[in-house]
Amino acid sequence: MKLLLSLLLIVSSAVFSGPKVHNFKLKNLENRTTSYEDVKGEELTVIDFWATWCKPCIKSIPKFVDMYDEFESQGVQFVGISVDGPRNLSKVKPFAKSLGIDYPVLLDTDNNVMARLRVQAVPTLLIVNSEDEVVYFHEGYTPGEEKMIEAEIKKLLNE
Amino acid sequence: MLRLLVISSVIGLLYSSSAFAQLYGTNTFEFQYGNLPYEENTDLTTSYDQLNLFYDQGKISAYGRFEHFLTPFNDRNYFLLTQKRLQYDDDHFKVRIGNFYKTIGRGLLLRSYDIPGSVYEDSFYRTRYAFNRDQEGVDISYKNDWIEASVIRARPLFNPLPPNFKPDSARRPDLIEAIESDFYLTEDLSIGGAFMRSRSDGRDDYRELASLMYNYNLPFNLQVYGEYAFDTDIALFQFKEEDSYALYSGLNYFYGSFGLSAEYKNYNQFRLGSGYNDPPSLIKEHTYPVLNRSTHVLSTANESGFQVEGFYNFEDGHSVTANITTAKNEIARTNYYREYFLEGYYQASDFLSFKAFVDYATDERKGEENRISAGLISEKSFNYEWSFALDVQFQTYYKTAFSQNVENYYASIAYSTIPDLTVSLIFEATDDLLLTDNPNTFDIEDETRTWLGGNVRYKINQSHTLDVFAGKRRGGPACTSGICYEILDFEGVELRFTTRF
């Protein structure tokens, strides 16, 4: 019976659409608390979850920095969310700056926002529309996947 | 019956949720057919399921985590609502009742964590469950432009005990009551403080602790952070052998493509309660398998030291990272830990990259001397349609307990069809006597032990991922997101299905 209930929950989970992004608040690299409303984009918001210890993240971030330069004028805002815990927190700011990140970076030290946005691994990239709906979800990064993400942003801007 | 009612209510909510409310979550299902090596008579078929449900309506949200573990052994099985939370959140206030995650400062006094998607198996209880350390109680926070404050009354989880452990109260043996505040004096300077008292079950007296912290964004891209936590009955800044204190300080700097982080620690007699605090360990967090399992474990009884890490990212994608770590423990005798790490990443073209690392360490407390680790990783992409990755790593060190030169080998080869499918083979070998010897026999087996396993990951769509493992997997200490724990060896087949909805 219990197994059946578990299976029912798994199956039922497949039929619902994703959530809206709530107005979460996190500290930024200057140690000031910032809300999602403060940093989100006019048309689209691209949220990249990363960590200093995550090897694929190091490869993906420079691609997102380039993409931000390309799409910023079209109302697309990139936001980085570092999920580093206290153990690595001191490295986050110099790491982000040395990679050339010029968009806001927020610190999700307790992984509260990560869990609520259903992120289970880094890197994970979400694209959120102006209605705060998550319209694209991409887990992991292999070189070349930025082309797919770029195409998705263009498609969403044209909708 | 009660559980069935709860589940029925949740499913009812699921179907009745409309435009004004959101119901969403994640589900992780894991099935194992296999056993632990050397335990031939205890073949196990287990299934574990974790469902995380969120329900949002305006400024109010609710959360529940259900965990289900099924084995041939009834005493290990459970089906429980392991976390529940009600939350109110507006521009200034946040109130959480139930299970939540909260860290004070950098974790010197209190540290919570949840490793999403992690499934932990305890070697003694042989029960699988989510590896997290939450607080159960109440957390009220307030913020405006110049002050942030929070009040907590909660019981931290003692996570070595599985969710079905009886009595349930043993899993939360400490009660903490704390107040924390940060004042933003200028745009760049903040100071803060925390007071916490805690009581362990069976004791009448409270232990009283406090913490002072500051953050200063200095000119020339410098930033400093400092925190000093202590038992309130000690003389401040004396750092005596009999005192309980933890001092942490970090400085970071960047200039162009160069970044630097320097940190200092001095901890003494600062394990709190059942271990609900976790001061920064200042040990480099490695993701390379041979180094990840060699991590130095922080001792809050007595440890001091520093860590310096520098990195440079070249414009054409190359990068260099160097890290120096030292620590000293004075428990009965003085033990030193030293580690020197260098990593280089070279991007030969858009389709070909190389990464190499070399690491030298000595961990006297762990009994590992002259530990040398090195590795080379190469990735070749074919027009961004499919790619190969080759990863070769080696490690050797002198193990003082066995007077043995240990050698560890790791190799993996992976094929990916971008972006959906990854297939990989992993080989590991060691001659470490602790691992080659079968504990069930009288003889000491010293033949090199090997592990060979294969992984398949298939991203079915944006909401569903399937992972399959078959073969033998090496266990040992592992660190994820800064949290270290022990994983068990496994041989057999494992299937994991992850859903987000």
Side-chain angles (χ1 to χ4, degrees):
Chain A
M1 183 61 181
K2 288 173 181 176
L3 185 63
L4 276 175
L5 278 169
S6 297
L7 286 172
L8 177 64
L9 285 169
I10 295 167
V11 172
S12 68
S13 70
V15 299
F16 292 92
S17 60
K20 280 194 167 186
V21 175
H22 61 290
N23 187 26
F24 59 79
K25 297 175 205 69
L26 293 171
K27 288 205 170 179
N28 63 18
L29 296 179
E30 273 64 50
N31 199 42
R32 298 302 298 248
T33 299
T34 308
S35 71
Y36 173 67
E37 289 288 335
D38 294 337
V39 295
K40 74 177 190 180
E42 211 170 282
E43 297 292 329
L44 298 173
T45 308
V46 181
I47 304 177
D48 176 35
F49 283 87
W50 60 271
T52 55
W53 43 263
C54 157
K55 302 298 177 200
C57 302
I58 300 166
K59 289 183 195 168
S60 66
I61 287 171
K63 309 291 182 193
F64 299 151
V65 170
D66 291 344
M67 254 188 253
Y68 178 53
D69 292 341
E70 183 185 346
F71 290 112
E72 186 189 7
S73 59
Q74 297 174 60
V76 180
Q77 177 67 51
F78 276 64
V79 178
I81 297 186
S82 157
V83 299
D84 284 281
R87 177 172 171 176
N88 294 311
L89 218 46
S90 176
K91 294 168 190 162
V92 176
K93 186 175 179 179
F95 181 86
K97 297 292 182 185
S98 71
L99 279 168
I101 298 183
D102 49 0
Y103 48 79
V105 174
L106 307 178
L107 308 169
D108 188 18
T109 314
D110 292 328
N111 298 353
N112 284 321
V113 174
M114 183 186 186
R116 204 156 156 196
L117 291 180
R118 308 173 303 158
V119 174
Q120 296 197 298
V122 284
T124 289
L125 179 136
L126 283 69
I127 303 180
V128 185
N129 67 14
S130 55
E131 305 292 313
D132 297 333
E133 293 162 337
V134 178
V135 288
Y136 183 73
F137 197 104
H138 184 83
E139 191 179 272
Y141 175 78
T142 306
E145 289 182 354
E146 71 274 9
K147 308 273 182 206
M148 211 169 60
I149 293 162
E150 195 177 342
E152 191 66 32
I153 293 172
K154 283 178 181 166
K155 190 186 97 184
L156 289 165
L157 282 172
N158 289 328
E159 276 180 3
Chain B
M1 190 61 191
L2 183 65
R3 282 176 200 147
L4 282 177
L5 277 173
V6 170
I7 290 163
S8 305
S9 308
V10 167
I11 293 172
L13 271 172
L14 225 111
Y15 285 97
S16 64
S17 62
S18 57
F20 67 92
Q22 296 271 323
L23 197 132
Y24 55 95
T26 57
N27 193 89
T28 303
F29 173 75
E30 196 170 275
F31 173 81
Q32 281 190 338
Y33 176 77
N35 61 357
L36 300 188
Y38 304 131
E39 293 194 16
E40 289 81 2
N41 297 324
T42 58
D43 278 16
L44 285 177
T45 302
T46 70
S47 74
Y48 169 81
D49 192 79
Q50 182 193 112
L51 174 69
N52 294 287
L53 275 178
F54 294 87
Y55 180 78
D56 294 353
Q57 188 165 359
K59 292 171 179 170
I60 294 172
S61 68
Y63 166 70
R65 171 178 285 179
F66 297 87
E67 287 180 82
H68 180 203
F69 183 56
L70 198 61
T71 70
F73 304 96
N74 279 334
D75 57 333
R76 297 177 193 173
N77 299 345
Y78 65 89
F79 182 61
L80 294 167
L81 173 64
T82 51
Q83 286 192 37
K84 53 197 177 298
R85 176 175 67 243
L86 197 60
Q87 180 171 326
Y88 171 83
D89 203 348
D90 67 20
D91 289 344
H92 297 292
F93 284 97
K94 181 152 108 177
V95 180
R96 295 186 288 182
I97 300 169
N99 302 85
F100 57 88
Y101 296 91
K102 178 92 176 179
T103 297
I104 294 179
R106 294 277 166 105
L108 275 59
L109 287 182
L110 181 69
R111 165 87 162 110
S112 300
Y113 55 77
D114 182 25
I115 306 174
S118 66
V119 184
Y120 176 74
E121 181 169 355
D122 182 85
S123 59
F124 183 75
Y125 301 104
R126 297 300 311 278
T127 300
R128 293 164 70 74
Y129 55 100
F131 195 71
N132 61 272
R133 189 199 289 156
D134 61 271
Q135 318 292 325
E136 188 172 83
V138 183
D139 170 37
I140 302 170
S141 307
Y142 171 79
K143 76 167 273 288
N144 63 30
D145 287 342
W146 62 276
I147 187 172
E148 287 181 20
S150 63
V151 182
I152 315 157
R153 186 175 199 274
R155 285 184 169 272
L157 179 68
F158 179 58
N159 56 15
L161 300 179
N164 59 338
F165 187 86
K166 299 294 177 202
D168 188 47
S169 57
R171 299 182 72 229
R172 298 185 188 272
D174 304 301
L175 172 69
I176 58 158
E177 293 166 331
I179 180 164
E180 180 191 15
S181 58
D182 276 308
F183 300 91
Y184 296 89
L185 303 179
T186 69
E187 196 61 34
D188 294 314
L189 175 65
S190 68
I191 58 167
F195 173 79
M196 185 173 87
R197 65 174 197 168
S198 81
R199 192 184 68 196
S200 300
D201 287 348
R203 293 181 65 102
D204 294 328
D205 56 323
Y206 279 90
R207 183 176 180 183
E208 293 185 339
L209 302 129
S211 173
L212 303 168
M213 53 199 101
Y214 74 94
N215 181 85
Y216 196 9
N217 304 316
L218 292 156
F220 308 110
N221 301 332
L222 278 163
Q223 184 179 37
V224 287
Y225 176 89
E227 189 170 343
Y228 176 49
F230 48 89
D231 253 304
T232 54
D233 58 1
I234 69 163
L236 294 184
F237 299 103
Q238 297 296 307
F239 306 112
K240 290 179 183 165
E241 200 179 316
E242 63 273 20
D243 287 348
S244 294
Y245 61 84
L247 178 69
Y248 167 81
S249 188
L251 175 148
N252 64 63
Y253 169 75
F254 67 92
Y255 183 78
S257 299
F258 173 71
L260 179 82
S261 158
E263 297 168 278
Y264 170 77
K265 66 183 168 188
N266 184 357
Y267 308 142
N268 194 57
Q269 297 186 35
F270 217 70
R271 179 183 159 88
L272 305 182
S274 57
Y276 53 74
N277 65 327
D278 185 16
S281 61
L282 274 62
I283 309 298
K284 170 79 177 163
E285 180 164 1
H286 298 289
T287 47
Y288 300 113
V290 295
L291 289 174
N292 185 278
R293 67 168 67 100
S294 298
T295 192
H296 169 81
V297 178
L298 172 76
S299 169
T300 47
N302 181 282
E303 186 156 318
S304 60
F306 67 86
Q307 177 184 210
V308 180
E309 181 162 316
F311 21 84
Y312 190 86
N313 292 289
F314 298 85
E315 266 188 24
D316 38 12
H318 319 314
S319 67
V320 177
T321 303
N323 181 291
I324 297 172
T325 301
T326 72
K328 184 172 87 170
N329 300 109
E330 288 187 284
I331 308 163
R333 57 180 282 245
T334 302
N335 287 308
Y336 287 96
Y337 171 75
R338 296 185 188 89
E339 183 177 0
Y340 308 92
F341 171 80
L342 183 66
E343 176 191 74
Y345 175 72
Y346 179 72
Q347 195 158 334
S349 71
D350 281 352
F351 302 110
L352 180 65
S353 67
F354 297 94
K355 185 183 284 180
F357 72 88
V358 60
D359 184 275
Y360 174 80
T362 286
D363 192 342
E364 292 178 354
R365 189 156 62 89
K366 205 173 167 185
E368 292 181 1
E369 292 181 359
N370 297 319
R371 193 180 74 207
I372 298 168
S373 314
L376 179 67
I377 298 103
S378 179
E379 282 185 15
K380 170 72 181 158
S381 167
F382 294 85
N383 204 26
Y384 294 144
E385 288 171 359
W386 52 284
S387 66
F388 272 112
L390 181 69
D391 184 344
V392 183
Q393 298 174 32
F394 169 74
Q395 182 180 63
T396 182
Y397 56 85
Y398 181 72
K399 192 165 194 165
T400 52
F402 299 150
S403 300
Q404 183 201 9
N405 278 311
V406 173
E407 291 186 350
N408 289 311
Y409 297 87
Y410 173 93
S412 82
I413 185 163
Y415 163 83
S416 297
T417 301
I418 298 168
D420 303 325
L421 179 72
T422 303
V423 181
S424 61
L425 267 179
I426 297 169
F427 171 80
E428 294 209 58
T430 187
D431 60 359
D432 186 342
L433 285 173
L434 198 65
L435 298 171
T436 57
D437 180 47
N438 181 347
N440 302 318
T441 64
F442 288 108
D443 297 328
I444 305 286
E445 291 85 1
D446 59 3
E447 280 182 29
T448 299
R449 188 167 163 203
T450 59
W451 295 261
L452 179 65
N455 284 297
V456 176
R457 161 166 280 212
Y458 180 52
K459 287 193 258 183
I460 300 164
N461 53 37
Q462 288 185 41
S463 302
H464 300 86
T465 305
L466 178 71
D467 289 280
V468 179
F469 169 84
K472 293 181 180 179
R473 184 167 57 208
R474 182 174 172 176
C479 300
T480 308
S481 304
I483 309 300
C484 297
Y485 52 94
E486 192 79 14
I487 58 169
L488 305 183
D489 272 30
F490 173 71
E491 56 184 37
V493 178
E494 182 183 274
L495 180 148
R496 176 184 277 221
F497 186 60
T498 310
T499 306
R500 61 180 68 84
F501 52 94

